[in-house]
Amino acid sequence: MKRIVLSVMVMLSMTFAFAENENTNAVNNVQAYDMTVNMNKLGQTLGLSWDQLEFVSDVHTAFCADMKNAAMAAESERQNMVDKAVRKDLANMRVILTHSQYQKYLQLLNVTFHNRGLK
């Protein structure tokens, strides 16, 4: 009887440990796709005017929403959704930013994606 109870306890603990790892991986995945930034710091780094900062903030909010949707999507669709979100973000930023600001923004976005392990 003791062996049966012990076996059941071991099986349950292994199941919970496995489920915990799955939840941790899902949380880490969602955090990697969280693109929120401090808009004041971004504005200072890029040298944005107040008007530009307002437009960039709106575009970036939409980008964050698109990335969050990609994080929640099935893995087979995720990369396609990320690519669409990035293309849309860059197209909008190209209209708002000057050439030098846009080049800095590209560098920041590339470093962010690299640091988070995204492609």
Side-chain angles (χ1 to χ4, degrees), residues 8-81:
V8 169
M9 289 179 60
V10 168
M11 295 278 287
L12 286 174
S13 66
M14 289 173 47
T15 302
F16 287 136
F18 177 73
E20 181 180 357
N21 288 340
E22 287 295 318
N23 289 338
T24 302
N25 290 339
V27 168
N28 289 339
N29 186 34
V30 170
Q31 288 175 348
Y33 288 88
D34 181 17
M35 294 289 153
T36 56
V37 296
N38 183 334
M39 276 293 138
N40 291 328
K41 293 286 185 184
L42 182 63
Q44 288 175 350
T45 302
L46 297 177
L48 300 178
S49 68
W50 286 106
D51 292 335
Q52 284 179 316
L53 185 61
E54 185 177 330
F55 290 129
V56 166
S57 178
D58 291 340
V59 169
H60 192 71
T61 301
F63 177 62
C64 289
D66 290 343
M67 290 298 289
K68 189 177 280 190
N69 290 337
M72 297 297 178
E75 194 163 339
S76 61
E77 300 172 9
R78 189 173 298 141
Q79 188 61 45
N80 188 31
M81 292 178 77

